[in-house]
Amino acid sequence: MMKSNNIGCTKKGEKQQLLESNYHVIHKLPPGDSPYVRAKYAQLVEKDPEGAIVLFWKAINAGDRVDSALKDMAVVMKQQDRAEEAIEAIKSFRDRCSKQAQESLDNVLIDLYKKCGKLEEQIELLKQKLRMIYQGEAFNGKPTKTARSHGRKFQVTIKQETSRILGNLGWAYMQQTNYAAAEVVYRKAQQIDPDANKACNLSTCLLKQARYVEARSVLEDILQGKIFGSDDPKSRIRVEELLKELEPFVSLGYTSPSPQWNLEDAFLEGLDQLINQNAPFRSRRLPIFEEISPCRDQLAC
């Protein structure tokens, strides 16, 4: 009888372990019962973001998976409209994280700066990320990295990452209404990895500088399907909206003025070097990161 009970207990214990194992897999929870694991449980299962933040703090202070705890906590804080607090948390505790985690933390910071409208900080950090690519330090020195989106993993190349960062930099300049600088950056981004979304943004920059013919020419490339993403419904809608805005000027034969911006030659030189190098270019002189001088005689419509 005793033996039968022991067998029953063993089977029950094995079943419980299997259920717990499956539970962790289903909810993508790490194994164990540490502060970080409990934080992820509160975040993903209990749907208790404030409770998760408290537990993430405990994980950071306990040295439990600090890389993941700090990044995940910042993301949850952003969702709870506590972006300013998340920025300070990353700045204060990133020195406890590994070198490999710094790039991911920078990406989170860029999103936080964007949410808070901190354009200068966003631009500076984007330029810093370009500097890392320029010096061959991005992706921890590897040619590709694994990224995640909607639960799926995929490989990102240095060129794709450079184009993405330039696109974000262009968008930040647009928010500052610095359309001349944004134009330059978007043109370089399109040389690396062109797509319809960045083309629409480039067209907008040209439109804002009263360079209507050039703006329409960029949109024509999308209409003719020459650029990746040209068949995307959202891009098509944006093209139609921009064409309507351009039509009065183009139909009247309005002559576009010459570009009225004055950018540092070193800035353009650095972008060209970054784009054209097959291998990471290492140099003490990094002209791409010279400050852009103020744009002169910029036209706004």
Side-chain angles (χ1 to χ4, degrees):
M1 188 69 178
M2 184 68 71
K3 186 175 181 180
S4 176
N5 286 339
N6 288 339
I7 293 173
C9 290
T10 301
K11 288 184 176 179
K12 185 181 290 187
E14 291 175 350
K15 184 177 181 181
Q16 181 65 26
Q17 288 180 354
L18 181 60
L19 286 172
E20 289 179 359
S21 177
N22 289 338
Y23 187 82
H24 279 269
V25 171
I26 291 170
H27 294 282
K28 297 181 180 178
L29 294 173
D33 188 37
S34 66
Y36 177 73
V37 174
R38 292 198 296 273
K40 294 299 290 182
Y41 183 89
Q43 176 193 0
L44 301 174
V45 181
E46 295 179 338
K47 308 298 182 184
D48 179 12
E50 293 298 335
I53 290 171
V54 171
L55 289 165
F56 280 131
W57 272 124
K58 288 184 178 180
I60 293 168
N61 290 325
D64 178 26
R65 306 193 192 198
V66 179
D67 290 3
S68 298
L70 182 57
K71 185 180 73 171
D72 291 349
M73 183 179 72
V75 171
V76 175
M77 283 180 169
K78 177 188 171 187
Q79 294 168 348
Q80 295 301 108
D81 292 323
R82 295 168 61 180
E84 294 274 4
E85 189 178 346
I87 290 171
E88 291 307 313
I90 291 177
K91 287 182 176 180
S92 299
F93 291 92
R94 68 182 306 165
D95 61 336
R96 299 191 186 186
C97 298
S98 67
K99 182 180 178 182
Q100 290 74 22
Q102 299 304 318
E103 199 168 337
S104 294
L105 290 172
D106 283 342
N107 290 334
V108 175
L109 264 182
I110 288 169
D111 285 340
L112 291 168
Y113 286 145
K114 189 174 182 180
K115 184 174 179 66
C116 295
K118 294 179 178 290
L119 293 173
E120 290 296 338
E121 292 87 344
Q122 185 182 350
I123 288 170
E124 186 57 38
L125 189 49
L126 288 166
K127 290 169 72 175
Q128 180 181 314
K129 289 179 75 65
L130 285 172
R131 183 183 295 112
M132 289 178 66
I133 293 174
Y134 194 75
Q135 293 176 313
E137 297 174 358
F139 296 3
N140 296 309
K142 298 177 182 178
T144 62
K145 74 172 181 179
T146 302
R148 286 187 176 87
S149 178
H150 305 292
R152 294 184 178 181
K153 293 182 180 181
F154 57 94
Q155 292 296 308
V156 177
T157 66
I158 287 289
K159 278 196 171 185
Q160 289 171 329
E161 179 72 354
T162 304
S163 179
R164 185 188 70 82
I165 294 172
L166 287 171
N168 288 337
L169 182 58
W171 179 253
Y173 280 132
M174 285 181 71
Q175 304 317 297
Q176 290 185 324
T177 67
N178 190 346
Y179 299 111
E183 176 204 341
V184 172
V185 173
Y186 275 124
R187 286 193 185 280
K188 297 303 179 182
Q190 289 295 81
Q191 285 182 245
I192 302 172
D193 190 27
D195 65 53
N197 180 57
K198 290 196 291 287
C200 286
N201 289 340
L202 173 58
S203 179
T204 300
C205 292
L206 294 167
L207 187 156
K208 294 295 184 181
Q209 296 175 81
R211 291 158 62 192
Y212 305 117
V213 175
E214 291 176 75
R216 183 181 177 85
S217 176
V218 172
L219 297 177
E220 289 291 344
D221 287 341
I222 302 175
L223 292 175
Q224 295 172 18
K226 294 180 179 179
I227 302 176
F228 175 78
S230 296
D231 56 349
D232 179 70
K234 290 182 180 179
S235 294
R236 288 283 175 171
I237 291 171
R238 284 192 68 192
V239 169
E240 294 301 326
E241 291 172 348
L242 286 167
L243 284 173
K244 286 181 181 179
E245 195 170 349
L246 286 166
E247 187 58 34
F249 303 101
V250 176
S251 61
L252 291 173
Y254 185 91
T255 303
S256 299
S258 300
Q260 296 296 311
W261 37 259
N262 178 31
L263 299 179
E264 295 283 353
D265 290 339
F267 179 81
L268 299 179
E269 177 191 340
L271 282 174
D272 287 333
Q273 287 184 356
L274 181 63
I275 290 166
N276 295 328
Q277 288 293 327
N278 292 323
F281 182 83
R282 292 174 172 80
S283 171
R284 291 183 180 180
R285 180 171 177 266
L286 304 177
I288 182 176
F289 305 105
E290 296 291 334
E291 288 297 327
I292 298 179
S293 61
C295 298
R296 297 179 304 182
D297 306 321
Q298 185 169 318
L299 299 176
C301 59

